[in-house]
Amino acid sequence: MQINYIGHSAIELVLSQTRILIDPFITGNPVATVKATEFSPSHIILTHAHGDHVGDTESIAKQSNAILISSHEIVNYMAARGVTGHGMNPGGSFQFPFGKVKFTPAWHSSSFADGTYGGMPMGVIIEADGKRIYHAGDTALFGDMSLIGRKPLDLALLPIGDNFTMGPEDALEAVKLLNPKTVIPIHYNTFGLINQDAQAFKKAVEAETSSQCVVLSPNETLKME
Ligand code: NI
Ligand code: MN
C-alpha cells in the first residue's frame, strides 16, 4: 500500500489492485501541486460535504467512472449530477472489491456550498491489502477513538489544523487513544487560519507515544510494507 499526499485532507491510496481517492480537493487547493485530470481512481471516498473535501469529486468521477462512497445524502446529491455512488452512514461497513470500508462518527458539520445538508460528517476506516487505516475526516477529539484503536491500526491520518478541527494538542490525545503504528498529520498549512508546526507535532507524538509520525509535503508518498 502506498499513500500519496495530495495536500490538505486529500489522499490517493495506491492498492495492489486499484487506486482510491479520499477527499480530492485539488483544483483551487493552494498547496496541491498536481492536477485533477491526472487521477483515475476506481472509487472516491468523501468524509463530508464541505468544499475543501468534495473538491474535484464530480469531474474525477466522470473522467474515470469512479464510484463515490460517502454518506447517503452526499451520494444522492452527487447522483443528481451524474455521479454513481454507494451511500453509507456512521457505523456501517461494506466489503468493496478492493477492501472493507467502515464509516466512523466525526464531530464536525457537513453541508454543501449551496447549503444542502450533507448528512453526518464521518471518518473512515479502510481495511485493504492486510492494512487497517483510519482517515479521521474533519473532527474534534472524541473519546470513542479508543474503540477505533482497539484493533491494531497501521496508519491514522489526523487533522491538526485547529480552528475547524482538532489542533495539535488534541490530535496528540487522539494518537494516544488510537495507538496507530504511524500517524500522518493532515488539514493544516493550506490557508492562514490553520497554520501549524508539523515538525513540533511529530516531536510531541514521538516523545509521548510509541507511534511514528510521518510529515508529508504535498505530492510526497509513504510506502507501507
Ligand atoms: Ni469540514
Ligand atoms: Mn475541512
Side-chain angles (χ1 to χ4, degrees), residues 8-9 48 50 52-53 108 138 164-165 187 191:
H8 200 52
S9 290
H48 64 293
H50 288 158
D52 60 318
H53 299 257
H108 193 62
D138 281 2
F164 302 109
T165 67
H187 209 274
F191 30 79

Side-chain angles (χ1 to χ4, degrees), residues 199-211:
Q199 291 301 332
F201 175 69
K202 174 184 166 73
K203 250 189 204 168
V205 166
E206 294 183 347
E208 293 188 34
T209 77
S210 52
S211 301

